Amino acid sequence: MKLLQINLERRIKQLGMCLYHSDRGVYGYKPQTPRVQLATENLEVDANRNLNSTFCRLVGAYRDQGHRLAQVNPLKCSKVEVETLPETNAARYGLDTTERINLNGIIYSKNLSAYDTTVQDGINFLKSVYTGNTGYEFTFIENEDEREWFAQRIEELSEEIIPDDYKVQIALEMAKSQNFDHFLASKFPTVKRYGGEGCESMMGFFVELLNTCSKSDVDHIVLGMAHRGRLNALTGPLQFSPVRMFQKMKGMSEFPGDARTSGDVLSHLSTSVDLDINGKKIHFNLLPNPSHLEAVNPMAAGKVRGKMKSLGNYDYGNNDQEQYSPRVLCLQIHGDAAISGQGINQETLGFAYVPHFRTGGSIHLITNNQLGFTTPEDRGRSSNYSSDIAKMIGAPVIHVNGDYPEEVVKATKLAVEYRQKFHKDVFIDLICFRRWGHNELDDPTFTNPVIYSVINTRKSIPDSYCENLMSKGILNPDVLKNSLEEHSRFLSENLNQIDTFVPPKSYLEAQWSNIRQPDEVITTWDTGVDTPVLQYIGMKSVEYPEEFKIHSHLLKTYVKSRKAKTTSGINIDWATAEAMALGSLLYQGFGVRLSGEDVGRGTFSHRHVMLVDQDNGSIVVPLNSMIENQTERIEVANTTLSEEAVLAFEYGFSIEHPNNLVIWEAQFGDFFNGAQIIIDTMLTSGESKWMLQSGLVMLLPHGMDGAGPEHSSCRIERFLQQTDSNEDSKFDGDYNNIQVVNPTTPAQYFHVLRRQASS
């Protein structure tokens, strides 16, 4: 085995790619090897593939097209099943199926002789792997080594035997999930619970996810998911106390009585819990979600990015490694109609490999009910699969039949391994069904009588799987019976505590423990900074290495001008005031993240917080080199052309730690229009609903400068309407949800930014 040697920079140019300005990187981004790479050369394998090139074409056809033949639909009534494909017909390639063949480097099977087997044996293996109850889409992965790794793990996992005790564990988790739904149906028959019935194999996903993560470097998981199966996940794998859920069903608050909060609906409950998995502590954070479908996904990604900063992990590490294993996993659970219908998913996927936004790969699980609210899939999207958006970033997709929990487990193991090895996104399309309508009080037969004629006459997934294990002598019926009886007693005990249980304080803990809920007062803060310190920061904010070639225009109008203003203290402009505010916060130990479209330069070419070398394109951020061994830095995050997902991402980043000043700047003030959902459901209401604290700052630059009616307004009236300001004689104070500030001088802007962090 030898690696083909080639000059990396020349290869990058051949591929039409460029590094992120320089191989040195900047704070918050460590350069990585380009995603398109030369494959590793193995002379023996290459020779065998050349000798058996015709059979290799057939293998490629199964890997590429096998998903079209896979039996992944548990209902088999929503579309025509494909039985044969010309691409997978051996006769098309002129193959003699009785011929003996060397499979070394072509197929990865321990049960077949690599050096002496028949073509037919190879075909049978390919059929069993690629046209069974799991289908795979991965051949569009650009890197050949990566593609080959994926194929190898698919084929190896197909022959792995799941231990009997693990099968029992999965069966019991699924049975308890079903038992939980039945319990709620009997005790709370009029409650919309959006249960997991029809998708209980999702419990197998959670079991394997935690099990595989416990054997990796992952010790934090952040989950964003909608309502389907949420309560099952909470009270099952995530160990959420059922009594807290029961109280919510009775109309009681999920927070203690002294919390200034309205709370949220049942299907938005969240948790932050330490789980002991195989002796390893994994912190699992299920975020609260707004009713707007998929809006929580970029919030989860932002929370992961913020957690990585807190841990000094991944792009924020201080070691010399270009890459090292991410400790925080972003998990997103989507609905099939929502992932293909909601544009915020495209925006969020667009962050996958973008500097300052990447999170080391997300794992996406689609709970594919094959229905939207009432709309079937053939009228709910144009693409073949709901997961086709994954191809936008070349993410592999695993389609798995929810009737086969063991296949779900293997799919999950493959997904986690891939993410940890390559730090990339991966999708699991869990094709299942919805036992009831959109909710348990809805009659789905009004609009989908055919599909529900199948659903209403079939056994549940847990019942079928348990019966299968009992018929094989793997699951003892008494074990199942005793487990469900114990589970029912546990639920009943929790139900009996409704009137006496006091919800625990689940907010302002850990890194937020020094923060308290505001009182009805107006606090005055000392936001001033000594003049010598400001002068030092002003000078440092335009300092760059001696060998750095700055733009000649900036040297005159920016560097020299700022030094003169800093020395005299006269005519301090907006950008200088901002640099002094942010620099002084960094000096005090606050982190700063400045995000938005073109924020490094600034839309109006006024900021230039990052400088670009005119010879080699390398970046310097002067504020990150003010003092020796500087502990905190500013992360300058030029964003994709996105507002909604970016603002949700920054909100997620901001709720991670109070010592980060997170700023999102709209390119023009009116651009917040594209993020209105996030402003409504997170920024202005997140604390009152979820007790999540966020000090995020939105900058909305606008003015009557000839840019037209849109860019000339940030619609300030909308923000005034969204404040919880008192409209009577009572004063407004620290407890108001947002502050709407219209600074008219650079000095005011300086003090506003410092107050936001200091308070």
Side-chain angles (χ1 to χ4, degrees), residues 367-597:
T367 52
N368 192 339
N369 300 311
Q370 307 183 63
L371 284 172
F373 197 129
T374 65
T375 305
E377 57 186 0
D378 59 339
R379 275 167 276 174
R381 63 175 184 268
S382 295
S383 60
N384 185 26
Y385 295 113
S386 62
S387 59
D388 279 348
I389 192 174
K391 296 170 185 175
M392 166 184 158
I393 58 169
V397 181
I398 309 166
H399 306 281
V400 58
N401 190 324
D403 269 351
Y404 297 87
E406 294 171 24
E407 293 293 307
V408 175
V409 166
K410 290 183 178 182
T412 307
K413 185 175 184 178
L414 174 60
V416 177
E417 289 180 353
Y418 175 81
R419 187 267 182 175
Q420 286 304 106
K421 184 171 182 64
F422 296 103
H423 305 171
K424 295 184 179 181
D425 286 48
V426 58
F427 283 69
I428 299 175
D429 181 17
L430 177 56
I431 304 171
C432 47
F433 58 91
R434 208 172 56 200
R435 172 64 67 180
W436 311 109
H438 179 66
N439 61 71
E440 289 73 20
L441 308 184
D442 185 39
D443 186 349
T445 61
F446 291 148
T447 51
N448 295 285
V450 176
I451 190 172
Y452 273 91
S453 68
V454 176
I455 292 172
N456 291 335
T457 56
R458 57 159 288 158
K459 289 183 178 180
S460 73
I461 298 173
D463 287 349
S464 296
Y465 186 56
C466 288
E467 289 175 9
N468 178 267
L469 294 185
M470 286 188 288
S471 69
K472 296 176 179 178
I474 296 173
L475 174 61
N476 188 319
D478 290 336
V479 170
L480 175 62
K481 179 175 178 291
N482 293 338
S483 177
L484 294 181
E485 288 177 351
E486 181 181 351
H487 185 241
S488 294
R489 282 194 299 269
F490 169 70
L491 295 175
S492 295
E493 290 168 0
N494 274 263
L495 184 64
N496 293 333
Q497 298 174 33
I498 283 182
D499 296 327
T500 58
F501 182 80
V502 178
K505 181 184 176 185
S506 57
Y507 52 92
L508 297 179
E509 301 286 349
Q511 65 266 37
W512 293 89
S513 59
N514 290 328
I515 307 293
R516 60 181 174 82
Q517 279 202 278
D519 300 315
E520 295 188 11
V521 297
I522 301 176
T523 304
T524 301
W525 299 89
D526 182 4
T527 54
V529 179
D530 291 340
T531 300
V533 177
L534 290 180
Q535 289 177 325
Y536 177 84
I537 293 169
M539 293 294 187
K540 286 291 185 179
S541 70
V542 289
E543 189 175 280
Y544 50 86
E546 184 177 345
E547 69 276 9
F548 187 90
K549 185 174 181 181
I550 193 168
H551 194 286
S552 58
H553 182 71
L554 289 184
L555 178 62
K556 176 182 177 181
T557 63
Y558 175 68
V559 177
K560 292 181 179 179
S561 174
R562 177 167 295 181
K563 286 182 176 180
K565 293 175 182 178
T566 298
T567 301
S568 67
I570 300 174
N571 295 325
I572 301 296
D573 55 47
W574 292 89
T576 302
E578 180 185 78
M580 288 178 172
L582 301 183
S584 61
L585 290 172
L586 295 172
Y587 188 81
Q588 289 177 258
F590 291 94
V592 178
R593 178 177 167 89
L594 177 62
S595 168
E597 294 156 6

Side-chain angles (χ1 to χ4, degrees), residues 37-146:
Q37 299 169 319
L38 288 178
T40 301
E41 186 180 66
N42 185 311
L43 298 180
E44 181 183 349
V45 167
D46 286 348
N48 189 50
R49 289 174 178 172
N50 288 334
L51 184 64
N52 297 286
S53 59
T54 304
F55 183 71
C56 285
R57 290 172 60 201
L58 179 61
V59 172
Y62 270 99
R63 290 174 177 172
D64 187 52
Q65 299 292 324
H67 63 92
R68 296 170 59 193
L69 296 172
Q71 305 300 303
V72 295
N73 189 345
L75 301 179
K76 300 180 180 178
C77 64
S78 59
K79 62 182 179 181
V80 177
E81 296 292 325
V82 179
E83 295 182 357
T84 60
L85 289 174
E87 295 95 328
T88 57
N89 187 343
R92 184 183 215 191
Y93 303 94
L95 287 167
D96 179 356
T97 56
T98 64
E99 181 184 350
R100 307 201 74 79
I101 190 172
N102 183 341
L103 298 179
N104 182 37
I106 300 176
I107 285 178
Y108 302 96
S109 169
K110 292 182 180 179
N111 296 333
L112 290 177
S113 172
Y115 296 97
D116 185 24
T117 192
T118 66
V119 169
Q120 186 61 55
D121 288 338
I123 292 173
N124 293 342
F125 176 77
L126 292 170
K127 283 183 177 179
S128 68
V129 173
Y130 293 104
T131 68
N133 299 122
T134 306
Y136 305 91
E137 292 185 277
F138 67 98
T139 54
F140 45 73
I141 294 175
E142 295 172 333
N143 182 349
E144 184 182 357
D145 282 343
E146 192 177 320

